[in-house]
Amino acid sequence: MALNRTFTMIKPDAVKKGYIGPILNKINVAGFKIVSMKMTQLSKRDAELFYSIHKDRPFFNDLVAFITSGPIVAAVLEKDNAVNDFRTLLGSTSPEEAAEGTIRKLFATSVGENAVHGSDSDENSVIETRFHFSDREVF
Ligand code: IDP
Ligand code: MG
């Protein structure tokens, strides 16, 4: 898969609040092309695997409960420098620390319920994309 791609999820808090449209608009306006997208809901096992890197963190159980609490929108985005530029568009993990105009500043509720996920490296972008999409679903 090309390295000018990143993986994102609109998390259950943002889906419940009706923010799918506004968040996708921010993503498009920032110059990202959507190359794959689906609405789905993670099982507990899915969530434990997806976030396995955080399994020893104190917030792990809360994170798994939150991310499985409702539907999410998973997508693959394309743009030059996609991983880094998307992390910039997201803002810091906590909305209180996120810069003005970032997705998390605008749409997140708290450090846990922070509206949107973005891959943190090209390697993880590929792993996370393969976790959520089959080859037939990535264009
Ligand atoms: P990131 O999403 O900005 O990369 P990570 O440190 O990779 O942040 O954490 C993954 C996810 O775990 C966060 O997006 C958030 O939903 C949750 N999380 C991170 N830190 C905390 C915390 O201190 N309390 C509760 N949840 C947290
Ligand atoms: Mg992370």
Side-chain angles (χ1 to χ4, degrees), residues 31-50:
F32 293 87
K33 184 179 156 199
I34 296 166
V35 294
S36 300
M37 186 164 68
K38 67 176 157 195
M39 193 163 182
T40 183
Q41 184 162 349
L42 299 183
S43 69
K44 184 163 182 279
R45 183 177 157 74
D46 292 330
E48 286 169 351
L49 282 171
F50 185 81

Side-chain angles (χ1 to χ4, degrees), residues 13-14 24 28 30 34 37 40 45-46 62 64 66 69-70 84 90 92 99 101-102 115-116 120 122-124 134:
D13 58 324
L24 291 179
N28 281 143
I34 296 166
M37 186 164 68
T40 183
R45 183 177 157 74
D46 292 330
D62 287 345
V64 169
F66 162 60
S69 67
N84 290 330
L90 269 188
S92 299
T102 60
V116 178
D120 63 6
D122 288 332
E123 186 191 5
N124 283 336
S134 74

Side-chain angles (χ1 to χ4, degrees), residues 48-131:
E48 286 169 351
L49 282 171
F50 185 81
Y51 280 124
S52 59
I53 193 168
H54 297 304
K55 67 179 172 358
D56 296 325
R57 307 280 286 275
F59 58 82
F60 183 68
N61 288 343
D62 287 345
L63 175 59
V64 169
F66 162 60
I67 208 71
T68 59
S69 67
I72 56 125
V73 175
V76 180
L77 307 177
E78 190 170 276
K79 182 184 179 298
D80 289 346
N81 201 30
V83 165
N84 290 330
D85 285 3
F86 193 70
R87 295 286 300 193
T88 302
L89 180 65
L90 269 188
S92 299
T93 307
S94 166
E96 279 133 48
E97 287 157 30
E100 289 300 325
T102 60
I103 285 176
R104 283 170 169 169
K105 185 70 174 189
L106 290 166
F107 302 111
T109 308
S110 65
V111 64
E113 304 202 0
N114 60 5
V116 178
H117 169 85
S119 304
D120 63 6
S121 65
D122 288 332
E123 186 191 5
N124 283 336
S125 158
V126 172
I127 292 168
E128 292 172 358
T129 296
R130 291 204 173 122
F131 185 89

